[in-house]
Amino acid sequence: MSNNHRASANLTAVVTLLSLALIALPCASHSLDSILVKALHLSCPQLDPEVHHGLGVAEDITEKREVVGSAQDLNACVSACCSRAKCGIAVLQGEVCLALECHSIDACHLRSASGSLAVVVQPAGDADWVLPPSTNETHVESKEDVKINRTARLMDLRCEIGLNDCGQHGVCEPLGDHHKNGHCRCKGGYYWEAAVGDCVVNSTGNSSAEGIHATTPTLSNTFALPNTSSAPQTPPPEKNTSSKPQVEKLVVNINNKTVELAEGSSIYESKVTLSAYAIGGDSDCKYEWMLLQRPKSDDTGSVSDLRSQTITLMHLSQGVYVFKVEVTAAGAHGEAVGNVTVKPAQHTNQPPKAIIVAPSQAIKLPTSGVIIDGSASTDDDGIESFAWEVVTAPLGYKLKNSEQASPTLQLTDLIAGNYTIMLRVKDKEGLEGNATTLLTVIKETDYPPTANAGGDQIIYLPQTETILYGNMSTDDHGIEEWEWTKGPKDSGKAVDMQDTRTAFLHLSNLEEGHYQFILRVTDGLHQSSNTSVSVYVQQPNLAAPKANAGPDVQIVLPNTTVLLDGTGSTDTSLSTHWLWIQVSGPSVVHLATPDQPQTYAVGLTKGEYQFQLTVWTGDEPGKNTSDLVAVTVRQDHNVAPTANAGGDFSVTLPVSAVVVDGSKSTDDVAVTKWLWQRDATSLAAGQIINSSDHSPVLMFTGVVAGRYVWRLTVWDDQGASSSDTVSIIVNKGPHHLDEVTVVVGADLGTLSTLQLSTLLQKMELFLHTADRVVTIHLISLTGLPHSGQVSVTFVAQTGKDVVPGVEVVATLHHQVLLDSSELLDLPLLSVDTVVCQNNCSGHGECVEASRECHCHTWWMESFFRRHLGDGMQNCDWSVIYVFVIICMVVLVLGLVVWGMAVLVGRRLVGNSRTRRKPLRYSLLSAHDESMKCNLLDSASESNSDVEIHFDSRMMKHKAEKSRNGYHKLPRIRT
């Protein structure tokens, strides 16, 4: 086609569009936005989308109306009216939205109003809404217009921003500023084609299709759609604007369906049909179904016969399926919306099932408690309550109320017998289930006791007493009673029996012969058992027993213990006496039980030992026999000794001496040498007492607070050695800050106990007050070398409380050193605390050795306090302040001296001027006038170095006349 023909065609299209626009201008109405109509369909199903221009509200309307201030456009006004239950008509007059309540046909009549818009949202009852006649020509769409508009409407397919739900040529338009959901619309240059189910290119070249949407949503791929032709769409024919046929509106109804899922199923497997019925038009109607809404589910279902009067749905999920049908007939068009609701399966409540984990249990006393578990009980909606009930139980047992409402039941204090326990469970609707369990409590078996009186005994005269032991008798629940009686099978001798109701029978005054005794024991159920025991009393064997100390023994170190066995001795009896003694050996050993047939010798060392066993019978130790046994201790190889310094420990001052025990050091033979040495990290203070550093036990005194470390080294006789260290922490005493040291002018060698006690008693008197009595406890007394002085350290106490050391020092310092030093027999030279407690005014540290204050930087001692005040070391003065004060004092003194000098100088100059000063006023004579003239002349002619200056006041006084005959002479300066 040539360019001229293409330009002619474009011009023709533009003229056509302009003609259509001019024809549309006089139309009195247009439709609401289809998105809004679709959004309000459920809440306002009778909403008429037609907008009527020029209809408003009369001022004298009597019906109720509401001004909606938040709605300033027609869409917002219609939405506000739809949200109000009584609103029938939404009217927008200018920017004012009115929601009208219509209760009759007359009240719904509106009047003409310029610039007003009206929409029928909810017609009143069944009355038709009547509009007043309009002067404008009614615009009637033709069938072709209906088809074009059907393809130009907004799509009803919902979408989500960002998920590309609208296909390749569609975009998702949000429902609002802050909405994530929206409706699909075709891009510019595309329009929705229902037959294709997608946005297609606008072949007419009309760019105004941008933003126009299609009415049929894209169905999910799981729906079965009929085959559609893929032939390209032809542009609609040009409309004849001169005359258009009138389109009749069809009334379309759809019978909504509601189905219910089968119990336990999430998919409705049966077929569901949805039919549309058109009223009006001819019988040859065309139907086109579109899916508007479906549940969000992975199982989307399927639909068939979308272009027939009835569609068939299958495999539906729970939720609501909304379909729209458009019915087209010759010269008529209509549409309707219907839905299929798939309800969940109705739940049939089943009674709960009570389950007890153990259907039956059996316990045996003394176990008297059991737990019955019913927590495994089940119900489809959950169990609401548990209730336990004792159906049968032994007489006297009752279930506690507090234990009947939990899933588990704990029974206590059960008695023997059979129990039937029932559990009742209920659900929320009151349905009940129950279960029972059997509990058997078996009575405990009580076995009879077993009597045991011990073995038979043989005693020899003159022994006439013995004890029979029945405490070995047993019973599973304990023996309640013992009873001793004399048995029938004896020689009938008399005997004294004591404690016959106890486990121990005491026999006395026995005679030679045979005795039988019967023990009877009884338990709590009065079950008893008997046993017998015999006692034989015989004359003693007058022959002396023969001692046998056993064979010689040889042991090897490090074993240092041996058993000495004399049981091989003969002619012994119960009255035989035994005695083991050590005869010889390299060391003294310990015999564990020297008066028994067997004994242990402990603490042997290398060498030869001899032990003697002596035995005799009765009270005749002179009739005895003895035997020797030799014990040889040898050493196969030397083992180094093991040093043991005793372990770390701590002491608290004051302490007179510290004792460290290393005697637990061992060797396979013997430790022969000991040496205690101070470790390099140990404190050096302290003196060893009595050369104890070469003995197993170390003692040292004169300790101070701190850590002492000693090393103990031990040697055996072959030179092998071992070492061990011990750490001793010497802690300060609990009252070390209150310890006071007094230096007395007396020699330690001449100071007697009487003088010391008198000194302490007098100091106590100085410390006494009206409400307390002070006692001085002496801690230490030491002599100061090369001074002839004694240092006394003590603590002052009042009852259990300790008097602060600072207070004691202050009292003795003021009352003794300053005021009453002559009251003491011994001169008191100084008093101070053991620990320096001078805080140096908070600006320094006290040096313990010199008791002097070491001041911080920029601080110094106050001269006045030290030498003119209390004499305490201090750091009161700041160096900066002292320097500033000194500078100010020097400056003030300088100013004072300078001022005095100036004052004296002025006084001297004043006196000299006063002597040269002539009289200021005098009477002038003729002779004086002539002198004055001569004087002035001579002065002016003088060539000397002295110049005569006249004050400016002289010039003033020259012109003054004399007053009262006097003239004021000017001062002459030279």
Side-chain angles (χ1 to χ4, degrees):
M1 183 183 291
S2 64
N3 293 334
N4 293 332
H5 289 96
R6 186 178 294 109
S8 176
N10 293 337
L11 180 59
T12 303
V14 171
V15 171
T16 303
L17 292 175
L18 290 176
S19 301
L20 293 173
L22 292 175
I23 293 173
L25 284 177
C27 292
S29 65
H30 69 274
S31 298
L32 284 173
D33 186 26
S34 62
I35 294 180
L36 177 63
V37 175
K38 186 60 63 181
L40 301 179
H41 174 73
L42 295 179
S43 58
C44 297
Q46 298 181 0
L47 172 65
D48 188 352
E50 187 175 4
V51 179
H52 301 272
H53 295 263
L55 295 180
V57 179
E59 294 295 335
D60 56 348
I61 188 172
T62 58
E63 296 300 324
K64 292 184 179 179
R65 59 183 177 178
E66 179 183 355
V67 178
V68 183
S70 60
Q72 297 181 354
D73 58 25
L74 184 59
N75 289 346
C77 188
V78 172
S79 298
C81 180
C82 185
S83 63
R84 288 160 171 77
K86 297 182 179 181
C87 180
I89 299 176
V91 178
L92 183 67
Q93 294 188 178
E95 294 184 355
V96 178
C97 175
L98 299 177
L100 304 183
E101 296 183 9
C102 298
H103 300 285
S104 64
I105 297 177
D106 295 336
C108 291
H109 286 251
L110 303 179
R111 60 181 299 174
S112 298
S114 177
S116 296
L117 302 175
V119 174
V120 179
V121 179
Q122 300 178 90
D126 298 329
D128 294 333
W129 188 63
V130 182
L131 291 176
S134 174
T135 57
N136 297 329
E137 181 182 356
T138 303
H139 178 70
V140 181
E141 293 182 340
S142 65
K143 186 174 182 179
E144 290 78 6
D145 292 334
V146 172
K147 182 177 180 180
I148 294 175
N149 289 339
R150 184 168 68 247
T151 60
R153 291 176 183 173
L154 295 175
M155 286 192 294
D156 293 321
L157 179 61
R158 293 294 182 100
C159 59
E160 186 172 344
I161 303 299
L163 296 184
N164 196 18
D165 295 335
C166 301
Q168 181 179 2
H169 305 300
V171 295
C172 185
E173 184 178 73
L175 297 178
D177 293 339
H178 302 287
H179 284 72
K180 188 177 180 181
N181 298 324
H183 287 277
C184 291
R185 69 174 178 84
C186 295
K187 296 180 180 179
Y190 293 86
Y191 69 97
W192 175 258
E193 176 56 49
V196 180
D198 198 357
C199 295
V200 298
V201 178
N202 188 359
S203 59
T204 61
N206 189 357
S207 62
S208 62
E210 182 179 356
I212 299 178
H213 307 263
T215 56
T216 305
T218 302
L219 298 178
S220 174
N221 293 331
T222 58
F223 278 86
L225 293 176
N227 295 331
T228 57
S229 174
S230 60
Q233 298 293 322
T234 59
E238 295 184 0
K239 301 180 181 66
N240 185 4
T241 59
S242 60
S243 63
K244 294 185 178 183
Q246 185 176 1
V247 177
E248 182 182 355
K249 185 176 181 180
L250 296 176
V251 178
V252 181
N253 291 327
I254 299 178
N255 293 331
N256 298 328
K257 296 290 185 70
T258 300
V259 296
E260 184 177 307
L261 293 174
E263 187 171 1
S265 175
S266 61
I267 301 298
Y268 188 77
E269 299 294 344
S270 302
K271 295 182 180 180
V272 180
T273 58
L274 196 64
S275 300
Y277 303 94
I279 301 175
D282 54 12
S283 60
D284 187 11
C285 295
K286 295 181 179 180
Y287 299 86
E288 184 174 353
W289 294 83
M290 290 157 283
L291 176 65
L292 301 181
Q293 178 183 337
R294 66 178 179 84
K296 292 183 179 180
S297 173
D298 295 336
D299 298 321
T300 54
S302 62
V303 61
S304 60
D305 303 328
L306 289 175
R307 299 184 182 276
S308 63
Q309 183 179 2
T310 302
I311 60 175
T312 303
L313 305 175
M314 298 180 61
H315 307 294
L316 301 181
S317 302
Q318 177 182 336
V320 178
Y321 294 81
V322 180
F323 288 89
K324 176 182 177 182
V325 62
E326 291 188 359
V327 182
T328 305
H333 174 78
E335 61 183 26
V337 176
N339 61 73
V340 176
T341 303
V342 182
K343 293 185 178 180
Q346 286 188 355
H347 174 67
T348 302
N349 186 28
Q350 300 295 329
K353 183 178 181 181
I355 299 176
I356 300 177
V357 173
S360 62
Q361 297 186 56
I363 62 173
K364 185 176 182 180
L365 294 175
T367 302
S368 61
V370 69
I371 295 177
I372 302 176
D373 185 12
S375 60
S377 302
T378 60
D379 185 66
D380 49 358
D381 285 337
I383 296 176
E384 185 71 16
S385 64
F386 294 82
W388 295 90
E389 180 183 351
V390 177
V391 180
T392 60
L395 185 64
Y397 185 82
K398 183 178 180 181
L399 181 65
K400 297 180 181 179
N401 293 330
S402 59
E403 300 174 339
Q404 296 182 2
S406 61
T408 59
L409 175 66
Q410 183 176 5
L411 301 177
T412 58
D413 301 328
L414 295 173
I415 59 178
N418 295 321
Y419 298 78
T420 302
I421 310 298
M422 176 180 288
L423 170 62
R424 299 179 185 272
V425 293
K426 290 184 179 181
D427 61 9
K428 296 180 180 179
E429 296 184 5
L431 296 182
E432 181 179 308
N434 60 73
T436 59
T437 181
L438 300 178
L439 174 63
T440 302
V441 180
I442 303 173
K443 185 179 180 181
E444 183 180 10
T445 303
D446 191 352
Y447 296 96
T450 301
N452 186 348
D456 296 339
Q457 296 186 19
I458 300 175
I459 64 174
Y460 295 90
L461 295 174
Q463 179 181 351
T464 60
E465 294 183 3
T466 188
I467 297 177
L468 300 181
Y469 299 90
N471 60 333
M472 299 302 293
S473 303
T474 59
D475 184 71
D476 52 356
H477 290 87
I479 297 175
E480 296 291 334
E481 297 179 1
W482 282 268
E483 182 181 5
W484 294 90
T485 58
K486 197 169 182 294
K489 297 180 180 180
D490 62 2
S491 57
K493 299 289 184 178
V495 63
D496 293 338
M497 302 172 61
Q498 298 178 359
D499 302 326
T500 58
R501 295 291 182 177
T502 65
F504 305 95
L505 175 63
H506 182 247
L507 302 176
S508 61
N509 296 323
L510 292 169
E511 299 177 2
E512 183 179 0
H514 171 236
Y515 293 87
Q516 184 187 39
F517 299 94
I518 297 175
L519 171 62
R520 179 184 180 89
V521 294
T522 306
D523 63 8
L525 295 180
H526 303 289
Q527 301 179 100
S528 62
S529 174
N530 300 328
T531 188
S532 63
V533 62
S534 296
V535 177
Y536 299 93
V537 182
Q538 301 176 359
Q539 290 291 335
N541 188 359
L542 298 179
K546 186 176 180 180
N548 183 356
D552 294 341
V553 181
Q554 189 178 65
I555 63 174
V556 180
L557 292 176
N559 184 16
T560 60
T561 303
V562 67
L563 175 64
L564 303 178
D565 189 3
T567 57
S569 302
T570 59
D571 297 332
T572 60
S573 64
L574 295 177
S575 61
T576 300
H577 298 276
W578 309 80
L579 179 61
W580 289 93
I581 61 173
Q582 179 183 350
V583 177
S584 63
S587 64
V588 178
V589 299
H590 172 68
L591 298 175
T593 55
D595 58 348
Q596 297 296 324
Q598 292 180 330
T599 185
Y600 282 96
V602 182
L604 300 174
T605 185
K606 186 174 67 174
E608 296 284 342
Y609 293 87
Q610 279 193 340
F611 298 93
Q612 177 180 290
L613 171 63
T614 302
V615 294
W616 70 93
T617 300
D619 297 332
E620 298 179 359
K623 296 180 179 182
N624 60 67
T625 59
S626 299
D627 189 25
L628 294 176
V629 61
V631 177
T632 302
V633 182
R634 61 186 178 86
Q635 182 182 26
D636 291 344
H637 63 276
N638 184 39
V639 178
T642 301
N644 186 350
D648 300 341
F649 63 96
S650 62
V651 296
T652 302
L653 294 176
V655 61
S656 58
V658 178
V659 178
V660 187
D661 186 8
S663 61
K664 294 183 179 180
S665 301
T666 59
D667 184 63
D668 54 350
V669 178
V671 177
T672 59
K673 184 179 178 182
W674 311 76
L675 178 61
W676 293 90
Q677 293 175 310
R678 202 187 301 257
D679 192 79
T681 61
S682 174
L683 291 176
Q687 298 82 35
I688 299 174
I689 302 174
N690 298 329
S691 300
S692 59
D693 56 337
H694 290 84
S695 64
V697 179
L698 171 68
M699 294 184 294
F700 62 100
T701 186
V703 296
V704 297
R707 181 172 178 264
Y708 291 84
V709 180
W710 292 90
R711 177 179 295 275
L712 170 63
T713 305
V714 295
W715 289 266
D716 61 9
D717 56 352
Q718 299 185 25
S721 63
S722 175
S723 298
D724 187 24
T725 58
V726 60
S727 175
I728 304 104
I729 304 298
V730 180
N731 299 316
K732 295 179 180 179
H735 307 297
H736 70 283
L737 296 177
D738 300 321
E739 296 179 2
V740 178
T741 298
V742 176
V743 178
V744 182
D747 187 73
L748 184 62
T750 60
L751 182 64
S752 64
T753 303
L754 179 61
Q755 289 176 317
L756 178 61
S757 60
T758 302
L759 175 65
L760 297 179
Q761 290 175 3
K762 290 185 177 182
M763 286 193 297
E764 289 176 353
L765 293 176
F766 285 111
L767 297 176
H768 287 338
T769 60
D771 54 349
R772 72 179 183 186
V773 177
V774 178
T775 303
I776 292 179
H777 295 272
L778 182 64
I779 295 177
S780 64
L781 180 68
T782 58
L784 301 181
H786 311 294
S787 63
Q789 300 173 355
V790 177
S791 175
V792 181
T793 303
F794 63 88
V795 173
Q797 290 184 328
T798 169
K800 294 183 180 180
D801 299 329
V802 177
V803 181
V806 177
E807 181 181 345
V808 174
V809 171
T811 303
L812 295 179
H813 185 271
H814 291 289
Q815 295 188 13
V816 180
L817 291 181
L818 301 180
D819 301 332
S820 306
S821 58
E822 68 279 357
L823 297 178
L824 298 178
D825 297 338
L826 298 176
L828 200 64
L829 303 181
S830 66
V831 180
D832 206 346
T833 55
V834 174
V835 179
C836 183
Q837 300 183 48
N838 187 356
N839 66 349
C840 299
S841 307
H843 305 300
E845 290 83 22
C846 181
V847 180
E848 290 287 344
S850 61
R851 299 303 175 98
E852 297 287 337
C853 281
H854 179 71
C855 297
H856 296 160
T857 307
W858 305 110
W859 291 92
M860 62 181 294
E861 185 179 61
S862 172
F863 173 83
F864 297 106
R865 179 180 177 184
R866 178 66 184 277
H867 299 285
L868 302 179
D870 55 9
M872 292 290 294
Q873 292 280 340
N874 62 85
C875 296
D876 288 346
W877 284 359
S878 172
V879 175
I880 297 176
Y881 291 161
V882 171
F883 176 76
V884 172
I885 292 173
I886 292 174
C887 292
M888 293 177 63
V889 170
V890 171
L891 180 61
V892 171
L893 292 177
L895 292 175
V896 170
V897 173
W898 177 78
M900 293 177 64
V902 171
L903 181 60
V904 172
R906 287 184 177 179
R907 286 184 178 276
L908 295 177
V909 173
N911 292 337
S912 62
R913 288 180 178 177
T914 303
R915 287 193 299 270
R916 294 194 304 266
K917 184 176 180 180
L919 294 175
R920 299 180 65 183
Y921 299 97
S922 63
L923 294 175
L924 295 179
S925 62
H927 177 70
D928 294 330
E929 289 290 343
S930 61
M931 279 183 58
K932 177 180 178 184
C933 294
N934 294 333
L935 180 59
L936 294 174
D937 293 339
S938 61
S940 60
E941 296 174 357
S942 175
N943 293 325
S944 64
D945 295 336
V946 179
E947 295 181 357
I948 301 175
H949 299 278
F950 293 94
D951 197 331
S952 60
R953 289 177 294 180
M954 293 178 60
M955 303 303 296
K956 180 179 180 182
H957 292 309
K958 285 182 180 181
E960 292 181 357
K961 295 182 181 181
S962 61
R963 297 179 182 177
N964 300 325
Y966 293 93
H967 292 275
K968 186 176 181 181
L969 297 179
R971 181 180 298 174
I972 301 175
R973 298 180 180 177
T974 59

